Amino acid sequence: MALTRENWPSRAVVQTSLAAQFALPPLPPPMQDWFAWCRRMGTQSLVLDEADWREGWRGELTGAGAVDVPGLLAEMEGYRFILDQEASTPEHLVWRDAVQTGEWQPHWVVLQNANGDPLIGDISQPEVPVLWDYHGSGSWSPQPLFPNLRMLMERIEIDAPVPSDDVPSKILFYTVHLADLGPQPLQVLTALKTHSDYKHLAGASLLKLKHQLPLPLLVDNVSDAAKDYLVHRFEALGARVTVVERGLRTSAERTTGAAKGD
């Protein structure tokens, strides 16, 4: 039986079919963080407001966001895996793998998309750099967007409607500040060099930061993973970090770290 609108395969069928026929290279550890992050986001509406992406257009993300390897394969339907509609039946889906023709790289995975324009993770690198490209341009030549997957999770925002006054918000926004450098200030300042807001600083400019505390590390972001990463990273160096958890109408602050006298 040929494929028709009435018997077109569901996402679950596509996922099962691809998982049975294809495998991915080993995934770097940040991909497990990505799966966990996608589970927490669920079906919420997400946006990416980034100056270097799609000419600064604030894009609503329309991908589902994979929570496991089979889901990651399904995210590549239409990018790496092209359904052969004429050869396929509802019981047996036939796929063309764009890797075999050189149109797609085996280490590219689709993390998210905005109306078909994909955000691509490079799983050949430990930090999983994030690339992007326009869909439908005739060939894939993705451009760098973020140096690592963690930064993508930090920058994606929930496009949350403001609830009525009698409906409490369950959405938390996290703001993280570096409040004290602790007993190893030079190591903490060096660690700041990996943060996108401070990576351009060096020498005297970097040392001046110790007189500008508290330093923002994350501002009104919904990512638990990004918040936890920053807290654990700087706590491990003995620094003190403050975290503000804010709903749409409420906020609460907690302090972490172990500076002397606290």
Side-chain angles (χ1 to χ4, degrees):
M1 181 186 298
L3 293 179
T4 66
R5 287 186 179 181
E6 288 70 30
N7 62 20
W8 197 260
S10 66
R11 178 180 172 83
V13 170
V14 167
Q15 180 171 303
T16 300
S17 174
L18 289 172
Q21 298 180 52
F22 300 98
L24 292 173
L27 298 180
M31 287 302 302
Q32 299 303 321
D33 295 335
W34 173 253
F35 292 155
W37 185 88
C38 288
R39 289 189 192 98
R40 287 194 294 270
M41 294 299 103
T43 59
Q44 297 181 96
S45 298
L46 304 176
V47 296
L48 179 62
D49 189 358
E50 186 64 30
D52 295 330
W53 185 53
R54 306 176 85 203
E55 299 180 352
W57 182 68
R58 185 173 186 266
E60 294 184 5
L61 301 180
T62 50
V67 300
D68 52 25
V69 172
L72 196 59
L73 288 168
E75 286 293 299
M76 288 188 278
E77 179 189 7
Y79 301 102
R80 172 179 173 176
F81 304 116
I82 313 301
L83 183 63
D84 187 333
Q85 299 180 28
E86 294 185 359
S88 296
T89 67
E91 296 76 25
H92 179 65
L93 303 182
V94 178
W95 301 96
R96 179 174 68 83
D97 186 354
V99 166
Q100 296 177 351
T101 59
E103 300 169 79
W104 190 267
Q105 297 300 314
H107 52 270
W108 290 348
V109 295
V110 174
L111 303 166
Q112 263 286 1
N113 77 78
N115 297 318
D117 296 338
L119 294 169
I120 297 170
D122 181 355
I123 60 173
S124 69
Q125 302 297 318
E127 297 296 320
V128 189
V130 179
L131 320 171
W132 80 277
D133 203 356
Y134 286 110
H135 187 238
S137 58
S139 62
W140 294 109
S141 300
Q143 303 300 309
L145 181 59
F146 297 123
N148 55 65
L149 184 52
R150 173 182 54 81
M151 193 174 294
L152 174 64
M153 291 186 283
E154 291 177 2
R155 299 297 178 87
I156 291 178
E157 303 171 1
I158 290 179
D159 192 14
V162 178
S164 60
D165 291 338
D166 58 346
V167 178
S169 169
K170 294 183 179 180
I171 300 171
L172 284 179
F173 296 82
Y174 300 103
T175 295
V176 180
H177 281 90
L178 179 60
D180 190 286
L181 300 181
Q184 303 181 78
L186 290 180
Q187 287 192 31
V188 176
L189 290 172
T190 300
L192 275 174
K193 284 285 292 177
T194 64
H195 193 286
S196 60
D197 292 339
Y198 305 107
K199 65 182 180 181
H200 63 288
L201 299 177
S205 296
L206 190 63
L207 290 174
K208 286 180 181 179
L209 293 179
K210 64 183 180 181
H211 304 299
Q212 299 173 23
L213 299 173
L215 297 170
L217 302 176
L218 194 69
V219 178
D220 276 351
N221 194 285
V222 298
S223 173
D224 258 335
K227 177 259 298 180
D228 289 343
Y229 172 86
L230 291 168
V231 169
H232 295 158
R233 176 173 174 78
F234 286 98
E235 274 189 341
L237 296 173
R240 181 162 56 88
V241 181
T242 61
V243 178
V244 174
E245 300 175 350
R246 181 179 65 83
L248 291 184
R249 289 184 302 278
T250 62
S251 65
E253 180 175 330
R254 63 183 178 87
T255 301
T256 67
K260 289 184 177 179
D262 289 348

